[in-house]
Amino acid sequence: MSWLSSSQGVVLTAYHPSGKDQAVGGNHGKVGEEATPSRKYGQYTMNQEVTKVSEKPPYDRSSSQDSLDELSMEDYWTELENIKKSSENRQDQEVVVVKEPDEGELEEEWLKEAGLSNLFGESAGDPQESMVFLSTLTRTQAAAVQKRVETVSQTLRKKNKQYQIPDVRDIFAQQTESKEKAPDGTESQSVRTNENKYQGKDDQASSLVVGEKELIPLVPEEAPASETDINLEVSFAEQAVNQKESSKEKPQKSRGDDAPLLNFRLPKDKTGTTKIGDLAPQDMKKVCHLALIELTALYDVLGVELKQQKAVKIKTKDSGLFCIPLTLLLEQDQRKVPGTRIPLIFQKLISRIEEGGLETEGLLRIPGAAIRIKNLCQELEAKFYEGTFNWESVKQHDAASLLKLFIRELPQPLLSVEYLKAFQAVQNLPTKRQQLQALNLLVILLPDANRDTLKALLEFLQRVIDNRDKNKMTTMNVAMVMAPNLFMCHALGLKCSEQREFVMAAGTANIMHLLIKYQKLLWTIPKFIVNQVRKQNTENHKKDKKAMKKLLKKMAYDREKYEKQDKSTNDADIPQGVIRVQAPHLSKVSMAIQLTEELKASDVLARFLSQESGIAQTLKKGEVFLYEIGGNIGERCLDEDTYMKDLYQLNPNAEWVIKSKPL
C-alpha cells in the first residue's frame, strides 16, 4: 500500500494478485453500466444503480509496504472470487428490492421505531404519554428527535393531512428548561470533565485518504498497544459534541502515528456491567428506543448520514435450511429443539469445523470444491431434519464454505436490511472510539435472532483466531475473509469506481475486524442508557402513584392508610444497611445480608451455594444468578463483580432474588 500525491488528496495504490500493477485512482468503471438482472451472488440490493464486479480492483504493492502482506486485501478479493465461483453452481435467488421512501416517510418510520409515534399522525393529540420519555433525553438526543418531528410535521402539512400536528416547540418546552443538565441531573460542565478523562489525542486515528475519503487502517496484532477505558457513562453524542468544542478551544496537535495502536477496554462499574440479555423485555424495549435515538444523534453530530432501509416483502421459501428467513428457520428448529436461539444447521456446521481441529492452516480462507458444496447443500436439505445426513463425509473446508454460504444466502442480511447501510457507514466516523460506540448501538438494535446468530459467529471466529500461531489466521485475515460474506450486497451491488470499491472493501474489513476484536464490549448496554431507563421507570412510577391516589380518593378510601401502607412496604422490618435476598429454588430460601463496602454479587451467591450439598453446589454454580428486581428497573441480572452497597444506593426499593436465567 503506498501514498501517491495528488491534487485531490492522496491516492491509495494496491497490489493485484494477477500481477497487473496499477494505481487504484485510474481506470474507473463506467457510470452508466447496467446491473445484471440475474446476478446470482447477491440476494438483496439497495435501490441504487449497480454494476457487476468482474475482477478485483488492482492493488499495487509499494516497496515500503512489504511488511503489510496481511493488510494487502488479497484475502478479501480472493474470497470475493471464490464467492462468485460457488454462486455459479447455485440457483438464482429472488432479489429483495429496497424501497426508496417518500419524503418524510423515513422520519415517520424512525419516530415509530423510537417509540414516539404518538407525536404525529392520527394517534397525535395528547403527547403527554411521551413527555416522560422525552424528559430523560440528553440535549443531542432531543435535537435528533426534534429534527425528525419537524420534518414529519412539514411533510404532513404539505400533504394536507387532517391530523392534529403538535407544535415542536410545545413538545420540547421541557427540554429547554433542563438544557444545561445531563440526564442524571449533573451540570453539563461536570459531564464534560468526566468524559474528558476518557478522551485524548490518541483517539484521533491516523488515516489513509483515498480521494476525499478517510480510512482508519487496521493494525497488526503484534504491534504494541496501549489500553484505555471506553466511557459508557456519558452519552456518546454528548462526548462527540464536547470533543468538538474542546478542539475549537485547543486546536488538536497533528494526528500521531501511534493512534491506531490505542485499544479500548470495558471500564469497571461498581453498580455492575449490563449485558444484552440481562434486562427484562419491557426495559430492553426502552433500551432499543434510546439506542436508535442515540445512534441518530451521534451520526448527526458527526455529520454522517444515517438512512434506514426498508425491504419490500417478497415470496421466500417456507422450509429448508438455506435461503430461508432467519426467524422462520428458528421457528422450524424450535419445533425440534424448544428454546433454540441459534439455527441448528449453523450450530452443526460450526461444530463440524471444530471437530476437524481449529489448528488447520488456512481455515476459513481455503474454499471447498464448488460442485461438492452444491451436492452437500441438496443432501442437507433432504436429510438434515431426518437425522440421516452423514456428517463424517463433510470435509472441514467444505463445512467452512457451507457456513459462509448460509450467511450469504439469507434472504435478508444477517446485519439486517434496516441497518446494513448504518453498519457500513461506521467506516465514515472519524475515530476508532466513535466507530466502536456506533457498533455498540447497532448491535443493540439488531433483531434478537440476528444478534444471537451474529454473536455465535463472532465467538467462533475468535476461537479460530486463538489458534492463529498454527492456522495462520489472524484477526485481520479472518476479517478480510468474512467481510464479503456479511457485506457483499454492498461490495458487489453498489455501482462505483474501482477506487470506491477498494474503499468499500477496506472499510467493511475494518468493521469486521472491530466486531470480532471488541465483541464483549459491543454486547454491553451503555450505563448512560440503563440510567435513562431507570429515570423513565421512576417517573412512570410517580405518575402511576398519582393516578392511584386520585382513584383512591374518588373511591372514598382512606388516603392516609394507603400512604402508610406504601411506606411500610419499603421498610419491611429490615434494618438499615441490610438486604433480604430470596432464593426460592435453593435449600436456603431467604437470607438477610449486611451490606459492606466490599460485598459483591458473587459473595452473596457463594453464601447461598455454601448451604447446598456437594453435587447440587457444583450443578447450581454458573446456573443461578442474583437479580435486581423492581424499584427503578424491571429486572436485571447482575454480573458477579457488582458491588451490592453501591447498587443498593442506586436502587434502594429493589428486591433481590437468586434464580436461573430464562431461555
Side-chain angles (χ1 to χ4, degrees):
M1 205 177 289
S2 65
W3 291 267
L4 299 179
S5 185
S6 140
S7 59
Q8 296 180 344
V10 179
V11 179
L12 196 62
T13 59
Y15 169 75
H16 186 277
S18 66
K20 297 178 183 177
D21 295 350
Q22 188 178 11
V24 172
N27 229 7
H28 297 323
K30 292 179 184 176
V31 173
E33 280 185 355
E34 292 289 323
T36 48
S38 62
R39 178 164 47 80
K40 300 176 183 177
Y41 43 83
Q43 285 73 54
Y44 32 83
T45 63
M46 299 305 150
N47 193 17
Q48 302 175 20
E49 290 184 274
V50 295
T51 186
K52 183 175 177 179
V53 176
S54 58
E55 61 177 29
K56 310 159 198 171
Y59 189 71
D60 176 36
R61 182 192 299 271
S62 158
S63 58
S64 64
Q65 290 296 106
D66 287 337
S67 62
L68 290 181
D69 276 354
E70 291 178 339
L71 304 182
S72 70
M73 302 297 296
E74 187 173 338
D75 286 343
Y76 186 99
W77 304 120
T78 303
E79 180 67 16
L80 217 51
E81 207 57 47
N82 292 335
I83 289 170
K84 284 177 62 180
K85 286 175 185 173
S86 67
S87 299
E88 289 166 6
N89 293 293
R90 298 287 290 157
Q91 295 178 352
D92 289 344
Q93 299 301 321
E94 194 168 357
V95 176
V96 176
V97 180
V98 178
K99 183 187 173 188
E100 189 68 34
D102 297 329
E103 185 184 3
E105 192 179 330
L106 267 180
E107 287 78 5
E108 201 170 310
E109 193 64 33
W110 185 92
L111 286 165
K112 284 178 184 174
E113 286 197 36
L116 295 167
S117 57
N118 62 343
L119 294 183
F120 68 93
E122 292 169 325
S123 61
D126 181 12
Q128 290 300 316
E129 190 181 329
S130 297
M131 284 305 172
V132 168
F133 181 77
L134 292 170
S135 69
T136 66
L137 301 184
T138 64
R139 56 183 174 165
T140 47
Q141 289 173 347
V145 174
Q146 187 167 354
K147 184 178 174 182
R148 274 80 197 165
V149 171
E150 285 174 346
T151 303
V152 172
S153 298
Q154 288 167 9
T155 305
L156 291 177
R157 286 192 183 98
K158 280 181 189 175
K159 292 179 179 178
N160 296 317
K161 297 281 186 183
Q162 297 303 310
Y163 297 146
Q164 180 184 350
I165 302 167
D167 193 301
V168 174
R169 289 169 296 182
D170 294 337
I171 294 170
F172 289 92
Q174 294 179 5
Q175 294 297 307
T176 54
E177 294 171 13
S178 58
K179 198 170 184 179
E180 297 303 312
K181 294 198 172 186
D184 59 357
T186 56
E187 293 297 323
S188 59
Q189 182 60 44
S190 65
V191 170
R192 190 176 295 119
T193 304
N194 184 31
E195 62 99 347
N196 277 346
K197 71 182 180 182
Y198 291 94
Q199 287 184 283
K201 62 180 182 179
D202 289 336
D203 186 37
Q204 292 294 331
S206 63
S207 60
L208 308 179
V209 181
V210 183
E212 296 179 357
K213 167 81 179 176
E214 290 192 37
L215 291 177
I216 296 177
L218 300 176
V219 180
E221 287 93 336
E222 296 77 13
S226 57
E227 279 198 330
T228 186
D229 288 351
I230 193 160
N231 185 357
L232 300 178
E233 295 185 17
V234 179
S235 155
F236 299 153
E238 292 293 323
Q239 290 182 44
V241 168
N242 294 336
Q243 190 176 6
K244 275 188 172 183
E245 289 173 358
S246 62
S247 66
K248 284 177 187 174
E249 293 165 13
K250 297 177 184 177
Q252 295 259 339
K253 294 180 183 178
S254 61
R255 294 177 173 183
D257 290 336
D258 62 333
L261 302 183
L262 188 65
N263 284 331
F264 293 94
R265 60 174 177 252
L266 273 173
K268 294 290 182 185
D269 181 2
K270 284 200 156 190
T271 59
T273 301
T274 307
K275 295 285 186 185
I276 292 171
D278 286 349
L279 295 178
Q282 66 268 28
D283 281 341
M284 194 60 200
K285 191 175 180 181
K286 292 170 190 168
V287 166
C288 289
H289 291 160
L290 288 163
L292 176 58
I293 295 171
E294 178 64 21
L295 178 71
T296 309
L298 178 63
Y299 276 49
D300 282 355
V301 168
L302 297 172
V304 175
E305 189 177 26
L306 175 65
K307 276 197 174 181
Q308 286 175 261
Q309 300 293 328
K310 195 170 182 181
V312 175
K313 288 183 180 178
I314 61 162
K315 187 178 179 181
T316 58
K317 286 170 59 179
D318 55 8
S319 64
L321 298 174
F322 298 90
C323 314
I324 179 173
L326 202 53
T327 49
L328 200 59
L329 181 58
L330 281 169
E331 285 173 16
Q332 195 173 270
D333 288 350
Q334 284 162 1
R335 289 195 286 270
K336 298 279 183 183
V337 182
T340 298
R341 295 175 66 92
I342 298 155
L344 296 176
I345 182 64
F346 192 83
Q347 294 182 52
K348 186 60 186 174
L349 287 169
I350 287 176
S351 174
R352 181 61 188 158
I353 295 166
E354 292 186 321
E355 283 170 13
L358 295 179
E359 298 176 351
T360 305
E361 189 168 335
L363 188 59
L364 296 175
R365 185 175 61 219
I366 298 172
I371 297 297
R372 201 161 59 233
I373 299 301
K374 179 185 176 182
N375 293 335
L376 284 169
C377 282
Q378 292 171 349
E379 199 177 342
L380 277 165
E381 294 276 12
K383 299 179 179 178
F384 179 74
Y385 285 116
E386 293 177 3
T388 57
F389 181 77
N390 179 19
W391 283 98
E392 295 299 319
S393 66
V394 181
K395 299 177 186 293
Q396 192 181 33
H397 291 307
D398 289 351
S401 292
L402 285 166
L403 181 72
K404 292 185 286 185
L405 181 71
F406 172 86
I407 295 166
R408 288 197 308 276
E409 295 206 347
L410 287 169
Q412 294 191 8
L414 187 59
L415 298 179
S416 80
V417 167
E418 292 79 5
Y419 294 108
L420 187 58
K421 284 192 79 176
F423 270 98
Q424 187 203 344
V426 166
Q427 65 183 294
N428 300 326
L429 303 183
T431 70
K432 183 177 175 181
R433 184 192 306 269
Q434 288 159 349
Q435 290 182 345
L436 286 171
Q437 289 169 341
L439 285 174
N440 183 198
L441 296 169
L442 282 165
V443 166
I444 290 170
L445 286 168
L446 284 175
D448 290 347
N450 298 58
R451 195 196 306 119
D452 292 340
T453 305
L454 178 63
K455 189 171 191 289
L457 174 65
L458 295 176
E459 287 172 347
F460 163 67
L461 296 179
Q462 187 56 57
R463 293 195 294 273
V464 172
I465 293 160
D466 290 341
N467 290 274
R468 59 186 171 273
D469 289 343
K470 294 192 176 176
N471 62 30
K472 311 301 181 191
M473 295 298 289
T474 65
T475 308
M476 286 175 290
N477 293 135
V478 172
M480 295 287 181
V481 169
M482 294 305 299
N485 293 283
L486 265 75
F487 293 93
M488 68 175 296
C489 66
H490 283 280
L492 295 178
L494 290 179
K495 187 212 74 56
C496 54
S497 65
E498 291 176 350
Q499 180 176 335
R500 174 146 176 78
E501 284 167 9
F502 183 80
V503 171
M504 190 80 67
T508 55
N510 182 51
I511 296 163
M512 193 74 225
H513 182 272
L514 293 176
L515 284 169
I516 298 167
K517 183 173 181 179
Y518 289 101
Q519 53 189 283
K520 286 183 180 176
L521 188 155
L522 299 178
W523 259 258
T524 301
I525 302 173
K527 185 177 180 178
F528 73 88
I529 288 183
V530 177
N531 284 345
Q532 285 181 290
V533 171
R534 289 184 188 277
K535 283 199 81 172
Q536 283 181 40
N537 290 338
T538 300
E539 294 303 315
N540 283 327
H541 289 331
K542 286 179 185 174
K543 193 176 163 188
D544 292 344
K545 199 178 268 189
K546 280 180 186 175
M548 180 62 77
K549 285 179 181 177
K550 248 185 206 177
L551 181 65
L552 290 171
K553 193 175 181 182
K554 208 181 239 183
M555 294 171 69
Y557 275 97
D558 185 354
R559 193 172 167 189
E560 285 181 18
K561 184 181 176 184
Y562 167 74
E563 288 176 348
K564 200 172 178 183
Q565 285 175 345
D566 191 50
K567 278 184 184 177
S568 64
T569 53
N570 292 332
D571 300 333
D573 301 326
I574 299 174
Q576 190 69 25
V578 175
I579 57 170
R580 171 74 59 184
V581 181
Q582 309 292 334
H585 303 296
L586 298 180
S587 302
K588 185 82 172 175
V589 295
S590 179
M591 194 185 293
I593 294 180
Q594 178 72 48
L595 293 173
T596 64
E597 296 292 337
E598 299 303 316
L599 183 74
K600 293 183 181 181
S602 56
D603 301 324
V604 175
L605 278 169
R607 290 190 196 182
F608 274 88
L609 291 175
S610 67
Q611 306 291 318
E612 302 292 308
S613 64
I615 297 172
Q617 189 180 116
T618 307
L619 289 173
K620 298 281 184 185
K621 196 172 182 181
E623 290 185 5
V624 292
F625 303 87
L626 180 58
Y627 278 78
E628 165 196 9
I629 299 176
N632 56 33
I633 204 81
E635 182 175 293
R636 175 173 170 250
C637 181
L638 304 183
D639 86 72
E640 59 181 16
D641 289 325
T642 303
Y643 284 83
M644 297 304 298
K645 188 171 183 179
D646 292 86
L647 182 56
Y648 173 77
Q649 289 167 352
L650 181 65
N651 191 6
N653 296 321
E655 294 180 2
W656 312 96
V657 179
I658 293 174
K659 60 175 188 169
S660 57
K661 263 193 176 182
L663 290 173

